[in-house]
Amino acid sequence: MARANDEVAALFAEYADLISITGGDAFRARVYEKAARSIGGHHADVSRLDLKGLQEIPNVGRSIAEKIVEYLGTGRVSAVEELRARIPAGVRRLTAVPTLGPKKAMAVYQELGVSSIEELVDAIRDERLRDLKGFGPRTEQNILHGIALLRSSGDRVLIDAAMDVAESVVARLSTAAGCRRCAYAGSLRRGRETIGDVDVLAAADDSEPLMRAFTELPRTREVVAHGTTRTSIRTTEGLAVDLRVVPPDSWGAALQYFTGSKAHNIRTRERAVHQGLKLSEYGLFDAETGERIVSETEEEVYARLGLPWIPPPLREDRGEIEAGLRGELPELVRESDLRGDLHTHTDLTDGLAPLEQMAAAAAARGHAYYAITDHAPNLFMQRMTDERMLAQRERVRELDAEYGRRGARGGTRLLHGVELNIDPDGGVDWPDDFLAGFDLCVASVHSHFNQSRDAMTRRFLRACENPYVNIIGHPTTRVIGKRPGVDADLDALFAACARTGTALEINSHPDRLDLDDEHILRARRYGVKFAIDSDAHSTLHLAYLRYGVATAQRGWLAKDDVINAWPLTRLRRFLRKGRTG
Ligand code: DGT
Ligand code: CA
Ligand code: CA
Ligand code: ZN
């Protein structure tokens, strides 16, 4: 089930937008935005809290707590409904266009009557936007770009949203009468960053109880098609889910087929044909006699095709068949290989939880090491100072003394790091002597995203040359469906990282996943090392590492490519980089 916290967070985020669109108080909008973030990242389930408990959540006051109670009781909040009613749905959708934003969306609606994305495109074509205050040719280009971005993500959802749905559906169906096996397949099993629809596969002799359980799930909003082999629904969140039920002895062939990708399946089918076989979701058959040869496990199907079992993240026809035939498939990094997390925040900057809670949660996850990397002072809104940073370091050292010794596995060593800002010229927040005090430095681009390709490339290269910069954080800075990546000569960046001993981050936050799989594949050829980080701003985010790992696997990475899969001694050697002294 979607957590009540996520529902409430989405509602308040929408409310904040609605306040902005209707020209409400900007400060009030911010209050709801902050509350949304706090609630989304809060560890306790809001549906179990009373009015008093709710007000203990950071950024939640009495009136917000009351709205949460109203929502949990009635499924709606009247203040939100009132604002919703004042704005056509089309205009609300306009606010989702990256770079347009609530204010401009309302302006084009009020001044030009534009109330849909299609009308907005027409208005730009006819140059009608230019008459409005604050809109110029450059704005038009940005808006068109934003629309393209929105359309390219289409109706696809981020991997964490799809995973929530898939795991709850699989858990539910697994307990239905006669269910022998159940798993999700499709793009989700391959770990793609966005998911078109969720494909669930089950094995049973009689499909009817499973199909019925599926259509009766609490989150089923609409049954799109109902049959004995396949049923399709749409969830209350609007996500499409397909369930296919196959006889138990077809399980392996069906799982192979519905995991895809299509491109990979075309290759496996070709191999079957060359061997006088026929491959379908029901099994691998002799083409002439029609006799079924294998079908029960994926391993058997691949083996009969002369291939080792191919991990789903590799099944994209990007060389995995050839590598399999040569016996050269990589041994992919797994989540259990990760020994630590090297980019995380606390409430000293924009995190939601204090250092003590983050450290406790990291230790509970069994991390052997864990770096705290709050924001550096040049990100002004974070109000960082030298004194605060040094005070935090002292506290980290104390906690390290405590956690470093605990437990049978040798405890959790705490590292004190920082997330530096790479300024437009490639410099960072502090001089070398101050940087030398950190155990590691992540450095990220947080501003001036629109620099020219040359300037952006120089900026990255200079950051890599800095002997204190160990990891480039979320390298392209893209936000999936919202902000395109920066323009830079990435091959030059990859070469520089390999040369200088600077790792590239695979930021595991589901709306970033930055670097993405294709970039990882490219960077890997230069011999770059990677850090798979959660960039956690709350204890809940520590679990995002699974998505970073999936992305790394899609980029063919092995344990040895990932610095936070290394033992601490080897990691520390890497972190010394080219530093003197
Ligand atoms: P998505 O849903 O767009 O994120 O991507 P997928 O890969 O989950 O695609 P989907 O849901 O259309 O189909 C699930 C799998 O079923 C797909 O990965 C491979 C298999 N499949 C579906 N249609 C075809 C087809 O026409 N030919 C072949 N060979 N396989 C197919
Ligand atoms: Ca799918
Ligand atoms: Ca599908
Ligand atoms: Zn960060």
Side-chain angles (χ1 to χ4, degrees), residues 186-187 195-199:
S187 51
I195 307 298
D197 71 350
V198 172
D199 302 282

Side-chain angles (χ1 to χ4, degrees), residues 391-522:
Q392 183 186 57
R393 181 172 307 155
E394 231 168 273
R395 189 68 191 120
V396 168
R397 300 297 182 227
E398 285 167 19
L399 288 168
D400 176 52
E402 195 180 315
Y403 283 105
R405 258 182 254 124
R406 271 195 202 170
R409 280 171 301 189
T412 304
R413 296 302 310 266
L414 298 177
L415 307 179
H416 191 239
V418 61
E419 181 176 12
L420 299 167
N421 303 289
I422 306 176
D423 72 25
D425 300 320
V428 296
D429 308 60
W430 278 299
D432 287 1
D433 59 341
F434 196 85
L435 295 178
F438 290 103
D439 297 323
L440 84 160
C441 299
V442 178
S444 315
V445 167
H446 287 129
S447 67
H448 300 84
F449 302 113
N450 293 323
Q451 278 181 318
S452 73
R453 184 179 172 87
D454 278 353
M456 188 63 84
T457 305
R458 276 199 303 277
R459 182 180 183 182
F460 275 126
L461 296 199
R462 194 172 151 220
C464 290
E465 299 292 349
N466 186 323
Y468 294 96
V469 168
N470 301 116
I471 300 170
I472 304 291
H474 45 71
T476 78
T477 78
R478 67 133 173 206
V479 179
I480 298 174
K482 297 214 171 88
R483 185 169 73 206
V486 295
D487 188 15
D489 178 351
L490 292 178
D491 289 285
L493 169 62
F494 300 157
C497 284
R499 187 180 71 242
T500 57
T502 312
L504 285 170
E505 182 173 75
I506 300 171
N507 188 295
S508 304
H509 200 293
D511 68 8
R512 286 196 188 265
L513 294 173
D514 180 13
L515 294 177
D516 69 15
D517 55 352
E518 305 248 354
H519 288 141
I520 296 167
L521 278 167
R522 241 165 85 199

Side-chain angles (χ1 to χ4, degrees), residues 74-268:
T74 66
R76 55 199 293 287
V77 172
S78 52
V80 179
E81 298 299 328
E82 258 167 49
L83 285 192
R84 273 183 183 163
R86 281 168 51 187
I87 310 195
V91 179
R92 275 191 269 138
R93 226 167 295 127
L94 282 183
T95 63
V97 174
T99 75
L100 187 64
K103 277 223 178 72
K104 288 203 169 80
M106 204 55 188
V108 296
Y109 172 60
Q110 283 173 334
E111 308 279 327
L112 305 172
V114 166
S115 65
S116 71
I117 291 177
E118 292 68 34
E119 287 171 15
L120 181 60
V121 174
D122 288 345
I124 293 174
R125 295 259 150 77
D126 304 345
E127 301 190 351
R128 276 184 289 142
L129 251 56
R130 301 205 177 168
D131 305 335
L132 300 184
K133 216 174 114 224
F135 289 80
R138 173 104 197 204
T139 331
E140 291 175 354
Q141 281 318 304
N142 288 341
I143 295 173
L144 286 176
H145 204 103
I147 292 172
L149 203 63
L150 191 67
R151 287 190 168 151
S152 70
S153 62
D155 289 331
R156 303 182 70 82
V157 304
L158 298 181
I159 189 169
D160 61 326
M163 189 63 85
D164 266 4
V165 170
E167 287 184 334
S168 82
V169 170
V170 167
R172 210 56 188 227
L173 294 181
S174 298
T175 63
C179 178
R180 300 271 292 276
R181 312 195 65 153
C182 187
Y184 57 81
S187 51
L188 187 59
R189 184 165 180 241
R190 302 196 312 278
R192 275 194 63 179
E193 61 194 34
T194 62
I195 307 298
D197 71 350
V198 172
D199 302 282
V200 177
L201 183 68
D205 293 309
D206 175 13
S207 68
E208 190 39 40
L210 280 155
M211 294 304 187
R212 202 171 45 244
F214 185 55
T215 57
E216 287 169 1
L217 289 173
R219 72 195 314 159
T220 298
R221 187 185 69 200
E222 183 192 347
V223 177
V224 181
H226 189 162
T228 53
T229 58
R230 172 179 175 173
T231 293
S232 301
I233 62 151
R234 206 166 267 282
T235 67
T236 45
E237 299 94 343
L239 181 59
V241 187
D242 277 351
L243 170 65
R244 291 182 181 82
V245 182
V246 297
D249 60 6
S250 297
W251 173 257
L255 188 58
Q256 198 281 327
Y257 182 89
F258 291 114
T259 296
S261 66
K262 260 174 222 170
H264 174 85
N265 286 359
I266 289 170
R267 296 294 308 280
T268 50

Side-chain angles (χ1 to χ4, degrees), residues 14-35:
E14 184 193 343
Y15 190 48
D17 278 349
L18 289 169
I19 293 171
S20 310
I21 303 172
T22 52
D25 183 358
F27 175 75
R28 244 184 109 231
R30 282 277 296 152
V31 166
Y32 280 95
E33 250 169 49
K34 277 186 168 163

Side-chain angles (χ1 to χ4, degrees), residues 306-346:
L307 288 164
W309 180 79
I310 298 178
L314 299 184
R315 300 184 195 172
E316 298 289 347
D317 191 21
R318 293 197 283 215
E320 72 279 9
I321 304 273
E322 293 75 5
L325 289 171
R326 290 195 309 267
E328 288 172 8
L329 284 174
E331 193 163 324
L332 298 179
V333 60
R334 287 167 307 174
E335 194 182 356
S336 57
D337 292 329
L338 298 191
R339 295 167 189 253
D341 198 336
L342 300 176
H343 178 178
T344 71
H345 295 273
T346 75

